[in-house]
Amino acid sequence: MPDPTPATTPPTVAPAGPEEPRRRALRELLHPRWSRGQAVAAILLAGLGFAAAVQVRSNDQDQNFTGARQSDLIALINSLSLAAERARDEIDQLTRTRDQLRGSTSSDSAALRLAREQERTWGILAGTLAVRGPGVRITVDPRGAGVGTDQILNGLQELRDAGAESIEINDRVRVVAQTAITDTSGGGGRVAAIRVDGVTLQPPYVIDVIGDPDTLSSGVDFQGGFVTEVEDVGGAVRVERAQRIEITSLHATQRLRYATPDPQDPEGSGE
């Protein structure tokens, strides 16, 4: 007698056709499996791309030296290198002075010598001593153009940045930290002259500067510098190096009304 329970026939699995490998490849492409190495490489590449984009944007925003001549860039680099060298020399000198002051046998003589050196240095910086030395003579000819306070002040600042130790204008006015410069109008908005510390100076303006001649000359004659600014408004500048510049005008010191020494640091040590 036949078994009433029907036999269960297993489902027939159709063999994989040619479309199945394609679907599998498509799924792997849409849902890739990332290994640890691939993930690290992707992060590094993303960071590199971000840094490159930031650099490109920074270059687009800062175009101060775009189009500058190679000689101008070299002169600017040399000026910065010399300024850094002067700073290192000054640090070495101060270190030697400190070591001498710490010594018990030579502390008195070293302190006296240091005090005299500081007196001369502060006298030169304050403009109360006549000085001489190598430097440059800069002649500024406005040629009827608008050369005035803006250009002169920028030029003086560039000279200070280049290591100028003493500055004088037209053999009459000593330029110090407190020097004030204003324009004198000649009508129609034209600058007729400049007034330096209350003294009216007529053009051309002759600026005598003591310092390293090469550094000073390159410190004002570069693309976008003092010479360029004067020429842009129609003036002319001549820079002459000299092995001997004499500055004889003196700055009259003023009695201080408001600034007083710190009572907690009476010797001005700054500590």
Side-chain angles (χ1 to χ4, degrees), residues 19-85:
E19 297 295 330
E20 186 63 25
R22 297 178 183 177
R23 294 174 181 172
R24 186 181 304 112
L26 181 59
R27 287 195 301 270
E28 292 179 354
L29 181 62
L30 295 177
H31 303 284
R33 295 181 180 180
W34 290 81
S35 65
R36 180 176 299 179
Q38 290 174 329
V40 173
I43 294 174
L44 292 177
L45 289 174
L48 181 60
F50 176 76
V54 171
Q55 182 65 33
V56 170
R57 179 174 297 180
S58 176
N59 291 338
D60 291 338
Q61 294 176 350
D62 188 6
Q63 299 293 335
N64 291 335
F65 300 104
T66 299
R69 295 174 299 179
Q70 183 179 9
S71 58
D72 293 333
L73 296 177
I74 293 175
L76 182 60
I77 293 174
N78 291 338
S79 176
L80 294 175
S81 299
L82 290 174
E85 184 177 354

Side-chain angles (χ1 to χ4, degrees), residues 96-97 99-113:
R96 290 192 297 269
T97 301
D99 296 338
Q100 292 176 358
L101 291 175
R102 286 178 175 177
S104 57
T105 57
S106 60
S107 59
D108 293 340
S109 60
L112 180 60
R113 178 177 56 82

Side-chain angles (χ1 to χ4, degrees), residues 183-259:
D183 292 331
T184 299
S185 177
R190 184 178 60 87
V191 178
I194 61 173
R195 184 177 290 110
V196 183
D197 285 345
V199 180
T200 300
L201 302 178
Q202 300 293 335
Y205 308 118
V206 179
I207 306 174
D208 289 325
V209 190
I210 291 180
D212 181 79
D214 295 333
T215 306
L216 293 174
S217 60
S218 62
V220 295
D221 189 6
F222 63 92
Q223 183 66 30
F226 175 56
V227 175
T228 303
E229 289 186 358
V230 173
E231 292 176 347
D232 286 344
V233 296
V237 180
R238 184 174 70 252
V239 181
E240 301 173 283
R241 296 177 176 85
Q243 291 303 315
R244 183 181 178 89
I245 296 288
E246 293 188 1
I247 296 179
T248 58
S249 61
L250 303 179
H251 177 74
T253 58
Q254 299 178 352
R255 183 180 181 84
L256 300 180
R257 298 175 54 191
Y258 305 103

